[in-house]
Amino acid sequence: NFQQPKPLKLAAATSAHLVANLDSPNGWTRDTAARLLYERQDRRAVAELDALLGRSRSALGRMHALHALQGLFALETKHLVAGLADSDERVREHAVRLSEAAIIGAGGSGPLAAKLLGMTGDLSPRVRQQLAFTLGDVRSPARPKALADIIRRDVESTWMQAAVLSSLTDGAGEVFTTLAHDL
């Protein structure tokens, strides 16, 4: 008694309908809606993406909203801060990654950089690993301590070691000194 569902015709959908489909449980639907939003570059979708980011019960929907905002060149600090405070580790991880352009644009400092520096105690190893990579773009005297905090917690993880080392273009001596005091 299987009933074939009617196929979605997203190519003709309005931007509002595409944004609503970012919240779909179907991966193809989410990906196609996100692609079409990017291709159209319809700035009228920004307000709806902002609303979706705040109201979606789906972590994937919130994550797609962040990326769609970035694709429309409308991703703002307020969106990133919301993503960094999200209850789902995948959303936080992607928000950390998406923060890199804003951090670089601000010269490696500012309130977003400060927020990232305060996230070293995140419960998710995925978030901490992405944070270790992203902190390489932060220019702050607090960066070596933050990287030391991450590696101290995940010292056995070769992946975390690589992430921290990749962010130590400078400040390696400070991190070593900080960790040496633990012995």
Side-chain angles (χ1 to χ4, degrees):
N1 294 332
F2 176 74
Q3 295 288 327
Q4 177 71 31
K6 290 183 181 181
L8 289 175
K9 296 186 184 199
L10 293 178
T14 65
S15 292
H17 188 65
L18 291 175
V19 170
N21 276 291
L22 292 177
D23 216 11
S24 170
N26 183 300
W28 178 89
T29 302
R30 283 191 315 272
D31 290 346
T32 303
R35 178 182 54 82
L36 289 169
L37 283 166
Y38 177 76
E39 288 174 358
R40 291 180 185 177
Q41 288 295 305
D42 183 0
R43 302 283 298 177
R44 292 175 293 185
V46 171
E48 293 173 38
L49 286 166
D50 187 37
L52 179 67
L53 183 60
R55 70 169 157 72
S56 177
R57 291 186 192 172
S58 163
L60 290 170
R62 294 188 305 275
M63 186 177 73
H64 273 278
L66 283 171
H67 282 279
L69 285 163
Q70 180 200 31
L72 293 174
F73 305 100
L75 188 63
E76 298 176 10
T77 301
K78 69 177 183 175
H79 301 127
L80 293 168
V81 169
L84 293 172
D86 199 273
S87 61
D88 189 272
E89 70 178 340
R90 293 169 296 177
V91 177
R92 292 193 311 274
E93 175 188 6
H94 282 260
V96 170
R97 184 178 306 134
L98 289 170
S99 295
E100 291 173 1
I103 295 296
I104 292 168
S109 61
L112 193 55
K115 173 80 172 155
L116 291 171
L117 288 165
M119 291 182 65
T120 59
D122 195 281
L123 297 177
S124 170
R126 295 173 59 117
V127 174
R128 291 192 309 273
Q129 183 179 16
Q130 182 57 54
L131 182 62
F133 283 120
T134 300
L135 287 177
D137 293 324
V138 172
R139 300 292 167 246
S140 167
R143 184 174 64 101
K145 181 191 177 310
L147 290 168
D149 290 346
I150 291 172
I151 200 62
R152 191 180 286 126
R153 183 171 183 162
D154 298 289
V155 71
E156 298 296 323
S157 169
T158 56
W159 295 105
M160 200 67 75
Q161 292 169 14
V164 169
L165 288 172
S166 77
S167 289
L168 285 175
T169 54
D170 58 1
E174 293 172 61
V175 171
F176 180 76
T177 301
T178 301
L179 294 173
H181 287 303
D182 290 353
L183 301 176

